[in-house]
Amino acid sequence: MKTGVCSKCGAREVRAGQGFWAKDAANFIAISPMTAWRGGKVAAVDHYVCAACGDVETYVSDASNLEYIAANWPRVE
Ligand SMILES: [Zn+2]
């Protein structure tokens, strides 16, 4: 999806963009046990949407949050 080609249907109809309102509108996931207002940690995420088939992919925006997740979340085996 990040290349502009949908990973599900192959269409070049992927939409996303910096400065676009949807990127700044409360797109976060919790990455530690407590909620953000009680001392927890959240990570902003970017969404990529295919306008042809509706597939959505979500990526953590900040590399420092990826480091936290790698150090604290269990690996999928
Ligand atoms: Zn698609």
Side-chain angles (χ1 to χ4, degrees), residues 41-69:
K41 189 169 175 61
V42 295
V45 294
D46 295 329
H47 297 302
Y48 290 76
V49 181
C50 175
C53 75
D55 187 46
V56 179
E57 288 187 0
T58 304
Y59 297 87
V60 171
S61 306
D62 186 336
S64 68
N65 287 326
L66 293 179
E67 292 171 9
Y68 177 87
I69 290 167

Side-chain angles (χ1 to χ4, degrees), residues 2-50:
K2 285 183 171 180
T3 64
V5 178
C6 178
S7 57
K8 294 285 170 55
C9 76
R12 291 188 169 276
E13 294 295 336
V14 177
R15 300 294 193 268
Q18 292 196 337
F20 181 56
W21 67 267
K23 280 193 77 154
D24 303 323
N27 292 316
F28 298 96
I29 61 169
I31 59 174
S32 73
M34 297 172 65
T35 55
W37 55 89
R38 296 180 61 202
K41 189 169 175 61
V42 295
V45 294
D46 295 329
H47 297 302
Y48 290 76
V49 181
C50 175

